[in-house]
Amino acid sequence: MNMRKALQVNHDGTLAEIDLDKGGDGVFSVLRALQRAVKGNVECFDVSDQTTMWSNEEGKYQAGLEYNPYATAMWREAFGMSRHQPDADFIMGPVVLTGTPDDEGETRGITVPQRARLKSLVALYAEDLPASPLPIL
């Protein structure tokens, strides 16, 4: 069986490939893999015509999650905002990047070329990250 792969983007820019099918019980294995990776309930949005970003639905309210400038930059650009727009929304905690759903609504993994492109994009963001919207206490 060909495992569906996804790319986890952590707050510090480190990346990890994850298997969406680990556990082998269909759609619930995908949901569980996504929830483990984002450390809670998931929400998703398409950041391109081929890529879906999954984040922690309650990331701003959940203790222990850190501001993710890489995911924030990708999200802002996908919705036509500047990476540096000070009053724009932001993302906390790790995110997972997958392919967009297929015609039956099933989450697709990302392809090898997509992984390479997304890894390059994260490296590019490292050169010019948006400032943290969080107050320094």
Side-chain angles (χ1 to χ4, degrees):
M1 178 178 175
N2 192 10
M3 297 293 260
R4 290 178 284 180
K5 300 283 187 181
L7 189 65
Q8 180 176 332
V9 182
N10 298 304
H11 76 277
D12 60 359
T14 57
L15 305 172
E17 288 188 12
I18 61 171
D19 291 330
L20 294 175
D21 297 308
K22 193 172 184 179
D25 58 355
V27 69
F28 293 111
S29 66
V30 172
L31 177 60
R32 286 185 194 111
L34 292 167
Q35 287 174 329
R36 269 192 308 274
V38 303
K39 301 178 181 180
N41 293 328
V42 295
E43 65 178 335
C44 67
F45 30 88
D46 292 342
V47 292
S48 76
D49 60 347
Q50 298 177 350
T51 307
T52 299
M53 178 183 286
W54 299 80
S55 68
N56 185 311
E57 183 176 42
E58 298 174 347
K60 293 181 191 84
Y61 311 106
Q62 185 173 321
L65 296 182
E66 296 191 42
Y67 169 64
N68 189 328
Y70 301 89
T72 297
M74 188 177 297
W75 181 85
R76 287 180 180 173
E77 286 187 351
F79 289 95
M81 295 178 261
S82 163
R83 279 187 261 166
H84 303 286
Q85 189 170 338
D87 59 346
D89 203 359
F90 55 93
I91 295 177
M92 299 291 289
V95 298
V96 176
L97 303 171
T98 66
T100 51
D102 64 18
D103 291 337
E104 296 178 4
E106 294 292 324
T107 300
R108 289 189 277 200
I110 56 174
T111 64
V112 171
Q114 279 178 296
R115 279 195 295 271
R117 184 178 55 78
L118 291 167
K119 287 177 179 181
S120 294
L121 188 59
V122 169
L124 178 67
Y125 288 153
E127 298 172 10
D128 186 34
L129 289 173
S132 174
L134 305 174
I136 299 173
L137 303 175

